[in-house]
Amino acid sequence: MIDVPEAFARTTVEREGESGAAWLAELPVTVDGLMERWECAPDGAVLHGGVGVIVPVRRRSGDAAVLKVSFPHPGNVHGPDAFAAWGGRGAVLLHARDDARFAMLLERAHTSTLADANTDADADDAAADLSDEVAAVAGRLSRRLAIPAPPGLPRLRHRAEGWEQELHRDAEELPHRLPAHVVDAAVATVREIGSMQPDVLVHGDLHPRNILRADREPWLAVDPKGYAGDPAYDVGAFLKARAVTFLEADDLEKAVRRTLDVFAEAAELDRERVQRWAQLHLVQASFWGRRQGFRIARNGAPADQLTEYAEHLAVLLTAPA
Ligand SMILES: Nc1ncnc2c1ncn2[C@@H]1O[C@H](COP(=O)(O)OP(=O)(O)O)[C@@H](O)[C@H]1O
Ligand SMILES: [Mg+2]
């Protein structure tokens, strides 16, 4: 039986309460049953992300794989559909799925992620080159993942109305430092771009920790939400995660705009549309920060300066590309 990582157990109970504790109590038995059914043997220490355990296993064929079991949450329903549609293109292969248990048997990639390629944006040319390379990797991957969406995935355009209402409500209710024209620009993006999106498969959480080093392709995505919408949506999660590495940059605006330039070019997406999505995500993140508080580490202390930083970035990105 697997040992559930202690930190994972703690955060799951803190977040989900009793239903989390009940799910955790069953988890080792669930994993054992799946391993037996999918003819796998344990092959290394159990890893975890925010919502799931990742059990390295060996298949009968000898192939290295991982078994992922996520907490049963509506946000985790469509990941397997996305993996199935990609069929290994830009993402790890899906070998088997058990939707009732929120479980998947996935091709194993390496443990290092695109987030490990960290840079000091205020350092020298080499750091800037590395930062470009990170954005180019994510952009190229976004391009590879942009295939027609399978039926049945949540359509992002159906969210537009809710996003707009939320923006108006948050701007009114929350104390914040966003000038009105910045919120207005985000609302305009929702109306003009958010409400008319194509049916392209969107990863939905393409930040650097969900991009893993691999052999079959240099990098492979994991942990998709699986939406149908505008592929430029995915710049949001990427930029929010990257921006934290620019906190100390000498010229923040230049670093952020450069990231968008490189991402858009590698993804073969319209530069202005990429920036408008990024701006919208940053406005939403600013409000989220005001409501919940950002935490640098899971369950760490809230970092107020990150909310102000998100607001600052949202303002910077409101000016045209
Ligand atoms: N297919 C895989 N091969 C190797 N490692 C993986 C694989 N999938 C996930 N991992 C590891 O587990 C971590 C968490 O996985 P992820 O699917 O992102 O879970 P969560 O939904 O909890 O964020 C990843 O950052 C990575 O280190
Ligand atoms: Mg993840």
Side-chain angles (χ1 to χ4, degrees):
M1 291 244 197
I2 61 155
D3 287 322
V4 176
E6 207 250 311
F8 178 74
R10 195 176 55 242
T11 53
T12 302
V13 172
E14 276 166 9
R15 198 184 59 241
E16 308 292 343
E18 259 175 46
S19 63
W23 176 77
L24 285 165
E26 284 298 310
L27 188 57
V29 176
T30 305
V31 168
D32 266 11
L34 291 165
M35 284 213 268
E36 197 179 320
R37 177 141 58 90
W38 290 337
E39 302 185 276
C40 295
D43 188 35
V46 177
L47 307 168
H48 67 92
V51 300
V53 287
I54 309 282
V55 186
V57 296
R58 224 10 98 182
R59 304 178 76 197
R60 225 158 65 125
S61 59
D63 288 349
V66 302
L67 191 89
K68 178 173 180 181
V69 185
S70 297
F71 185 78
H73 181 276
N76 303 327
V77 167
H78 295 289
D81 300 328
F83 280 128
W86 287 318
R89 176 190 161 114
V92 297
L93 285 160
L94 174 73
H95 297 306
R97 62 197 278 181
D98 182 330
D99 293 354
R101 292 180 179 77
F102 287 69
M104 292 179 280
L105 184 63
L106 297 165
E107 171 187 14
R108 198 191 307 172
H110 294 291
T111 43
S112 61
T113 80
L114 190 58
D116 302 326
N118 255 327
T119 62
D120 259 326
D122 64 344
D124 49 10
D125 293 349
D129 286 349
L130 187 52
S131 187
D132 279 5
E133 185 52 24
V134 169
V137 165
R140 282 194 295 268
L141 198 58
S142 160
R143 175 74 194 82
R144 274 190 78 62
L145 298 176
I147 62 168
L153 295 187
R155 264 53 196 164
L156 284 175
R157 63 173 179 273
H158 296 158
R159 302 247 176 112
E161 220 176 280
W163 288 339
E164 183 173 342
Q165 285 166 5
E166 208 171 83
L167 285 168
H168 288 306
R169 199 190 54 221
D170 287 351
E172 189 139 310
E173 283 179 6
L174 298 169
H176 66 87
R177 296 191 190 168
L178 292 173
H181 78 278
V182 172
V183 179
D184 292 346
V187 170
T189 298
V190 173
R191 287 194 186 152
E192 291 160 25
I193 299 177
S195 63
M196 283 173 302
Q197 300 182 56
D199 278 344
V200 173
L201 179 50
V202 170
H203 180 287
D205 199 17
L206 195 62
H207 60 69
R209 268 197 318 282
N210 283 337
I211 300 176
L212 307 186
R213 258 280 177 219
D215 298 323
R216 194 168 52 72
E217 293 186 24
W219 299 94
L220 291 171
V222 296
D223 204 10
K225 301 270 183 224
Y227 301 131
D230 184 343
Y233 173 93
D234 271 339
V235 76
F238 175 73
L239 185 69
K240 282 185 283 177
R242 277 305 287 167
V244 177
T245 67
F246 299 146
L247 263 168
E248 308 291 325
D250 287 339
D251 189 338
L252 173 65
E253 180 162 10
K254 190 170 150 208
V256 170
R257 285 178 182 266
R258 174 79 192 162
T259 292
L260 296 180
D261 289 344
V262 174
F263 181 95
E265 193 185 334
E268 297 175 36
L269 291 168
D270 177 66
R271 172 66 175 76
E272 191 196 333
R273 207 169 80 233
V274 165
Q275 181 164 331
R276 292 188 72 182
W277 274 114
Q279 195 267 0
L280 168 61
H281 280 280
L282 281 161
V283 170
Q284 290 173 322
S286 302
F287 287 143
W288 195 90
R290 289 283 169 205
R291 210 178 269 290
Q292 318 273 340
F294 283 113
R295 285 156 214 283
I296 290 182
R298 278 187 193 119
N299 295 319
D304 289 340
Q305 76 273 22
L306 281 185
T307 302
E308 279 163 33
Y309 185 58
E311 288 176 343
H312 182 53
L313 288 171
V315 173
L316 287 182
L317 291 180
T318 302

